[in-house]
Amino acid sequence: PAEQWPLFKICATILDKKRTRLHLSFDALVADAWSMMLLLQQWQQLYENPQSVISPLESSLQDYVVTEISNKATHNYLI
């Protein structure tokens, strides 16, 4: 339920001395499909190369909200 935090869960099951299985559960209120795909791609990148650097996001939630409000004022918003 949305009123129950956290809206995500990450657990690990140790399979043997060399293998661990991760279990991920994310509520759709936390992230959309694109965001989850990006998160998993970056996680894989760090897993395969722990020394790699993840590029910072180019936009923030504030940028999104400002753009969304601006778009609502346009004719094309509802089209």
Side-chain angles (χ1 to χ4, degrees), residues 42-54:
Q42 291 177 342
W43 197 338
Q44 180 179 7
Q45 177 184 338
L46 290 170
Y47 176 79
E48 292 172 352
N49 181 8
Q51 310 308 320
S52 66
V53 177
I54 301 296

Side-chain angles (χ1 to χ4, degrees), residues 4 6 12 21 30 33-34 39 45-46 48 56 62 67 71 75:
Q4 191 174 21
R21 178 169 292 148
V30 174
W34 183 88
L39 174 65
Q45 177 184 338
L46 290 170
E48 292 172 352
Q62 180 180 1
T67 302
N71 287 342
H75 169 73

Side-chain angles (χ1 to χ4, degrees), residues 4 10 13 19 25 28 34-36 41 46 48 50-51 53-54 56 59-60 66 68 72-73 79:
Q4 191 174 21
I10 302 173
T13 300
R19 299 181 311 150
S25 174
W34 183 88
S35 299
M36 287 305 305
Q41 286 173 348
L46 290 170
E48 292 172 352
Q51 310 308 320
V53 177
I54 301 296
S59 59
S60 67
V66 168
E68 184 70 12
K72 283 183 179 180
I79 295 177

Side-chain angles (χ1 to χ4, degrees), residues 71 74-79:
N71 287 342
T74 68
H75 169 73
N76 291 332
Y77 182 76
L78 298 175
I79 295 177

